[in-house]
Amino acid sequence: MQQVPNTGAAAAADDAQNKHTIGSYLKANLREYGLLFALIFVMVAFQIMTGGILMKPLNITNLVLQNSYIVIMAIGMLLVIVAGHIDLSVGSVVGFIGALAAVMMVSWDLPVLLSVIVCLAAGVVIGAAQGYWIAYQKIPAFIVTLAGMLVFRGLTMALLQGQSIGPFPTTFQRLSSGFIPDPLGAGRFHMLTAVLGAALSLWVVYSNVRARRAEERVTTPDEPYSIFLARNALILFAINYFTLLLANYRGLPNVLVVMAILIAIYSFVTTRTTLGRRIYAIGGNEKAAKLSGVNTEKLTFLTFANMGMLAALAGLVFAARLNSASPKAGVAFELDVIAAVFIGGASMSGGVGTVVGAIVGAFLMGVMNNGMSILSVNIDYQQVIKGLVLLAAVIFDVYNKKKAG
């Protein structure tokens, strides 16, 4: 005779087990979820303190445009830091590439497309040159990139001869200030942006569900089902709310589309490819990775070449936004980029960090900058607050390592 289970007792046991599992999972993933909660808290706090200005469509668009170049560089800096190195030259490379673009487009009147290609190639060459000394000659990255920071700051001033050059052609300006067209809409509401946001959110959730089902066929997922549901509900809400805000202004900025493509590509590379896993292996233990057959020198070289390319792209975006090249362009950008990556969960010793974490870290810094500017907080105190946030992130990383050890 079949025994009828005690459903009440079983349900109570399941609830207790589920609570224990949720608590353990959140504790084990405190770095990732803590960052997300911090971003939500900061946004809600500034939304209240600014009287609702922070989340207005115009301000959200400005927030994206103001932080686009930091986000682009944060992706490249993440790989550099994960590999166990650092790049202090990115701010100077931004200024140099902007100056090179201005000289080519404005002074020499060369075509925009040709100028962009040459500037990106120059960025790759700069990154590769620095990567060569770091990877093959074993000179510390701190020294090489510090030298690069001084060299390219000097070359920027030499190219511009101490003066700003502009304005840029209208086509080039659209890289940073343009918006995608809307063939679906006929009014102030940007229909295509809303449709793309809905499609993207559904695709992300579908991919997550598919990945979880594939994992369930092999083993029991670590992530509790309730957290999985809450995470995907938050994704659906956040993407659609964000795109609806943009749709109520002028739609998706061109640079946001570029950022989305970069995030998708580099997230795939770091999580789904052998190349990405090997970069993490270098940062975790370079000697062990080399003994396992990983060409550590080549990967380090490629990581810096990639950083140079993304710094060049950020330089083009920044120059297009300012509509001129200035000798002071890019000053201290490297500090914001490095801070964004560390706040986003990367480890000082390498081997730890995610692309999404770096992006969240960059936007956390951006929201703080934007919110404090709206509140008219003095720039001196803004620097103090950002420094304390960075220090807290590093202390948190050290604490976690000691606890794990």
Side-chain angles (χ1 to χ4, degrees):
M1 183 175 177
Q2 187 177 4
Q3 187 176 8
V4 179
N6 186 346
T7 54
D14 287 344
D15 287 344
Q17 179 64 28
N18 191 42
K19 288 179 182 177
H20 176 72
T21 305
I22 291 173
S24 301
Y25 181 80
L26 289 176
K27 190 174 181 181
N29 294 272
L30 185 60
R31 182 192 296 265
E32 292 79 9
Y33 285 97
L35 177 65
L36 180 61
F37 293 146
L39 177 61
I40 294 172
F41 172 79
V42 168
M43 293 186 73
V44 171
F46 277 117
Q47 174 71 355
I48 295 171
M49 287 189 290
T50 59
I53 296 176
L54 181 74
M55 298 301 290
K56 285 189 175 180
L58 174 59
N59 193 59
I60 289 295
T61 301
N62 288 335
L63 188 62
V64 171
L65 297 179
Q66 290 167 1
N67 291 280
S68 55
Y69 42 90
I70 300 297
V71 170
I72 290 169
M73 286 190 287
I75 296 172
M77 187 65 74
L78 171 76
L79 297 182
V80 170
I81 289 175
V82 161
H85 300 284
I86 201 162
D87 191 341
L88 301 176
S89 68
V90 291
S92 296
V93 173
V94 164
F96 174 73
I97 293 297
L100 180 61
V103 169
M104 294 179 70
M105 294 183 209
V106 180
S107 302
W108 298 348
D109 200 27
L110 293 178
V112 171
L113 181 60
L114 175 63
S115 301
V116 168
I117 292 173
V118 170
C119 287
L120 291 177
V124 173
V125 171
I126 290 169
Q130 295 187 137
Y132 168 78
W133 294 107
I134 296 165
Y136 295 103
Q137 301 303 321
K138 304 302 179 184
I139 301 176
F142 183 91
I143 301 300
V144 173
T145 58
L146 178 61
M149 179 175 70
L150 300 174
V151 168
F152 293 108
R153 181 58 55 194
L155 289 176
T156 300
M157 291 187 284
L159 264 181
L160 297 176
Q161 297 181 348
Q163 299 178 344
S164 296
I165 297 180
F168 284 103
T170 305
T171 306
F172 179 70
Q173 292 178 43
R174 291 197 186 104
L175 173 63
S176 184
S177 59
F179 296 80
I180 65 170
D182 185 18
L184 304 178
R188 291 185 62 186
F189 187 78
H190 202 281
M191 185 64 70
L192 181 59
T193 295
V195 171
L196 289 175
L200 175 61
S201 63
L202 291 173
W203 179 79
V204 171
V205 171
Y206 169 75
S207 299
N208 289 340
V209 170
R210 188 176 170 185
R212 185 177 178 91
R213 286 180 176 174
E215 186 180 3
E216 286 174 344
R217 286 195 289 267
V218 179
T219 184
T220 303
D222 291 332
E223 184 180 34
Y225 192 66
S226 55
I227 293 183
F228 174 78
L229 288 177
R231 179 167 62 88
N232 283 277
L234 181 61
I235 289 172
L236 273 174
F237 171 78
I239 294 178
N240 283 283
Y241 181 68
F242 179 72
T243 50
L244 284 173
L245 286 175
L246 293 177
N248 277 293
Y249 180 55
R250 295 177 63 184
L252 289 174
N254 292 334
V255 70
L256 181 59
V257 177
V258 173
M259 287 162 50
I261 293 171
L262 289 174
I263 292 169
I265 291 173
Y266 283 89
S267 293
F268 177 81
V269 169
T270 53
T271 59
R272 303 289 184 88
T273 67
T274 303
L275 176 66
R277 287 192 291 271
R278 287 178 174 174
I279 292 174
Y280 280 86
I282 293 174
N285 191 324
E286 185 174 359
K287 290 183 179 179
K290 194 172 184 64
L291 290 173
S292 300
V294 176
N295 190 336
T296 57
E297 290 84 3
K298 181 180 178 181
L299 279 181
T300 301
F301 174 81
L302 291 176
T303 299
F304 277 92
N306 174 74
M307 181 71 257
M309 181 192 70
L310 292 178
L313 177 58
L316 293 172
V317 169
F318 185 67
R321 176 166 171 74
L322 288 186
N323 197 22
S324 67
S326 165
K328 296 293 184 181
V331 171
F333 278 13
E334 61 277 353
L335 303 181
D336 283 340
V337 174
I338 293 169
V341 175
F342 281 135
I343 290 171
S347 172
M348 297 178 298
S349 56
V352 176
T354 63
V355 171
V356 173
I359 304 307
V360 174
F363 275 109
L364 179 60
M365 294 284 288
V367 169
M368 289 175 57
N369 286 334
N370 185 264
M372 287 188 291
S373 296
I374 295 173
L375 294 172
S376 301
V377 176
N378 190 293
I379 187 66
D380 300 334
Y381 292 108
Q382 289 188 31
Q383 298 297 327
V384 170
I385 293 170
K386 288 196 292 184
L388 291 175
V389 170
L390 174 59
L391 180 62
V394 175
I395 291 172
F396 181 71
D397 174 58
V398 173
Y399 171 77
N400 276 342
K401 283 193 172 180
K402 285 183 178 179
K403 194 173 181 181

